[in-house]
Amino acid sequence: MPPLRPWKKSASGHSAASRTGWPPERAGGRSRAQRAGTDGGGCCVGPRAGACWPGVPPVRPLRSSHHKDTAQAGASGQCQASHGDPDMTSLSKILVVDDDELTREMLQMALSGSYDMSTACNGREALDMLEAGTPCDLVLLDVDMPGLNGYETCAALRGSSVHAELPVIFLSGRVTIEERARGYSVGADDYVTKPFEVVELKAKIALAISRKEKAQALSGQLDEIMGTVLTTADMMGEVGVVLDFQRRMGHCHTLEEVSKAFFESMDRYGLDGCLRLKSRLGILSCSASAPCSALEESILDHLERQDGPTIQSLGSNLSFNFGSVVGLVRNLMALPAANEADLHEKIGRIRDNVALLGEGAVSRLKALDAEAEANDGPKRLVALTQEALIEVNALQHANRLRVAAIFKALCEEVESSFIHLGLTSYQEEMLSETIRKHMEAATQVFGQTTQIESHLDAMIHKLQNRSPAKV
């Protein structure tokens, strides 16, 4: 503890002790040492030099038997910590760290009605208590203590991965600007000098705890926003797989090529399964790398007999029947996800994307059937091909509108978050950069899609203008 300031009367006739909020019996009359019959070696809690409470002869700080015993006990780690009422679970919890027993007791008396109090004799004991799991919402920390002083204790807290955000208020008799600056430099939230107003101390404690709670709430909201951004990024990647599949469909001329494109798209989702394609070119039943097994054939037979088009869950699997395209996607529950809710959301998106892949394959098979019917008559070929190309074009256009809607919703949500959460410039830049990156990726895909649409429009125009004799 620093030297103690002499007790004196204020202009109003009240003692300085009353200004710190201590009880009258502690501030005047006989001291505890006198009432106990001792030589008056007790020490007051004022922050300055060498005085004591009224009626107690002046002594030099930390030289009395009480302070000597306290300092020795604190240095040897034998000081027994005092803990608040275990039933006061609704109150914020404060850890008082001071080597002076009287100071600890008086702070407990002043604050125990508003907070659940625990005490420690020195910095090392405080760190051990926190490491052992003592609940704490704020630390009131003295500077001058044996062993670890207050500055070293605060620095240790700020270097901890668990307690780095724990509010710390210095309560010290060191009053120079250099000492205050040192307190803030080691990470303290506030610095209160002795003597102090109890009302002011309570206000500072309440403010520090409120700031901590608000910071925790904002951190949780920021995590939620980042989760939304990452989820949207995943969605954009999944939509990109569908768009790439639609692009490849235009270059598939056999059932084997269509099935290969389908399974490669499923592999990008981390999934596999089996597939059956039916057209005028024949019937193909296969998995990603081999023909279907007898069990897979029986499953596909069962799915084909169901009325379509359908897509439904079969345990952890997903089945679909679009008439000419029938298949089974295996083990959706094995998809990587942060939690169960995220997994179900991801499965829902996969279900939609598998439906788009199946519909795209159906459109391509219709086109292949149209080509196979070329020998049956040029007009029929033109009509069927035109219908298939229009369906593909419409599907690609629908995908572009869906992605545009996703971007619009994302931008609105992020802009709303900027307004209400008060993010830092760095956090706003980070979110904006993430959005820009994925917008650029989607734009590149749309650039390819635009070329495909132009090509398809040109093909339709050529087919419309060709006479039957020239086909």
Side-chain angles (χ1 to χ4, degrees):
M1 289 291 296
L4 307 181
R5 181 159 65 188
W7 175 88
K8 62 181 180 179
K9 294 280 189 175
S10 66
S12 63
H14 297 290
S15 67
S18 67
R19 191 160 57 84
T20 63
W22 304 134
E25 62 270 19
R26 295 284 183 153
R30 293 188 304 157
S31 68
R32 180 177 60 177
Q34 289 174 319
R35 291 196 298 271
T38 65
D39 60 357
C43 179
C44 67
V45 295
R48 297 289 192 280
C52 59
W53 301 104
V56 180
V59 295
R60 289 183 298 173
L62 300 180
R63 295 301 180 91
S64 68
S65 61
H66 166 73
H67 278 77
K68 180 177 180 181
D69 294 341
T70 302
Q72 290 175 346
S76 63
Q78 296 175 352
C79 177
Q80 183 176 3
S82 171
H83 300 279
D85 186 345
D87 295 331
M88 300 173 67
T89 56
S90 61
L91 299 180
S92 297
K93 297 169 176 57
I94 294 180
L95 175 60
V96 177
V97 187
D98 199 305
D99 62 325
D100 182 66
E101 181 180 2
L102 186 58
T103 300
R104 296 195 303 273
E105 291 180 357
M106 289 187 170
L107 283 171
Q108 279 192 296
M109 293 176 64
L111 301 176
S112 59
S114 303
Y115 299 98
D116 186 4
M117 307 293 293
S118 300
T119 62
C121 299
N122 53 63
R124 173 50 57 194
E125 183 182 7
L127 294 177
D128 291 342
M129 290 173 63
L130 292 173
E131 185 68 23
T134 299
C136 183
D137 296 306
L138 181 139
V139 177
L140 283 179
L141 187 59
D142 188 25
V143 172
D144 294 309
M145 296 181 294
L148 285 179
N149 64 33
Y151 298 133
E152 294 168 337
T153 303
C154 185
L157 289 174
R158 292 296 177 253
S160 167
S161 60
V162 178
H163 305 294
E165 303 300 325
L166 186 63
V168 175
I169 296 179
F170 277 113
L171 188 60
S172 172
R174 293 178 175 263
V175 298
T176 65
I177 188 63
E178 290 78 11
E179 295 293 340
R180 289 172 174 267
R182 185 177 179 187
Y184 290 120
S185 69
V186 296
D189 294 85
D190 212 332
Y191 194 109
V192 179
T193 60
K194 303 174 184 176
F196 54 87
E197 295 283 354
V198 173
V199 173
E200 178 187 9
L201 178 60
K202 286 185 176 181
K204 288 179 178 289
I205 291 173
L207 179 60
I209 293 177
S210 175
R211 286 174 176 171
K212 174 191 174 185
E213 293 172 347
K214 289 180 180 179
Q216 291 175 338
L218 288 175
S219 177
Q221 293 174 357
L222 178 59
D223 291 341
E224 183 177 350
I225 292 172
M226 290 301 299
T228 301
V229 171
L230 294 177
T231 299
T232 304
D234 289 341
M235 293 172 61
M236 295 303 303
E238 294 166 2
V239 171
V241 173
V242 175
L243 292 175
D244 186 58
F245 176 79
Q246 301 297 343
R247 177 185 62 82
R248 294 184 61 182
M249 284 295 95
H251 302 281
C252 294
H253 302 287
T254 65
L255 299 182
E256 288 76 13
E257 290 176 350
V258 173
S259 67
K260 180 180 179 181
F262 180 87
F263 284 118
E264 287 180 353
S265 297
M266 295 302 298
D267 182 65
R268 291 173 65 177
Y269 292 136
L271 299 169
D272 65 356
C274 56
L275 180 70
R276 175 175 291 173
L277 303 177
K278 297 179 65 176
S279 76
R280 294 177 62 89
L281 300 178
I283 300 176
L284 175 66
S285 299
C286 63
S287 61
S289 58
C292 287
S293 64
L295 176 60
E296 290 173 331
E297 288 280 6
S298 65
I299 293 174
L300 292 174
D301 289 341
H302 173 74
L303 295 177
E304 190 174 358
R305 288 193 293 269
Q306 296 179 349
D307 294 333
T310 61
I311 180 167
Q312 59 184 348
S313 298
L314 295 176
S316 63
N317 306 316
L318 181 69
S319 68
F320 55 91
N321 178 2
F322 296 105
S324 59
V325 178
V326 179
L328 179 74
V329 181
R330 285 193 287 263
N331 203 11
L332 294 178
M333 301 303 292
L335 288 169
N339 49 56
E340 185 174 355
D342 182 57
L343 176 61
H344 287 299
E345 180 182 352
K346 194 167 188 176
I347 290 176
R349 297 200 307 269
I350 291 295
R351 181 189 181 102
D352 294 339
N353 292 331
V354 168
L356 292 174
L357 295 178
E359 291 170 356
V362 168
S363 296
R364 186 53 188 163
L365 292 182
K366 287 182 179 180
L368 293 176
D369 285 346
E371 294 174 4
E373 292 177 356
N375 294 331
D376 295 339
K379 290 184 178 181
R380 182 171 177 79
L381 172 62
V382 170
L384 292 176
T385 303
Q386 182 179 5
E387 179 184 352
L389 293 179
I390 290 175
E391 289 179 2
V392 173
N393 193 17
L395 180 61
Q396 290 175 338
H397 180 68
N399 288 336
R400 181 170 62 181
L401 294 178
R402 181 176 298 181
V403 172
I406 291 173
F407 270 122
K408 182 179 179 181
L410 172 62
C411 291
E412 291 176 351
E413 184 172 354
V414 171
E415 290 175 358
S416 176
S417 299
F418 286 169
I419 296 173
H420 296 291
L421 295 182
L423 300 179
T424 64
S425 298
Y426 173 76
Q427 292 169 334
E428 292 181 358
E429 292 175 0
M430 181 175 63
L431 292 174
S432 298
E433 181 60 27
T434 301
I435 295 172
R436 284 196 298 271
K437 180 177 67 175
H438 292 288
M439 286 183 67
E440 291 173 358
T443 301
Q444 293 177 358
V445 173
F446 281 132
Q448 297 176 352
T449 304
T450 302
Q451 295 177 1
I452 297 172
E453 291 179 350
S454 299
H455 179 66
L456 294 178
D457 290 338
M459 291 179 62
I460 293 173
H461 182 71
K462 290 180 180 179
L463 289 172
Q464 290 174 337
N465 292 331
R466 294 181 67 177
S467 64
K470 295 181 180 179
V471 177

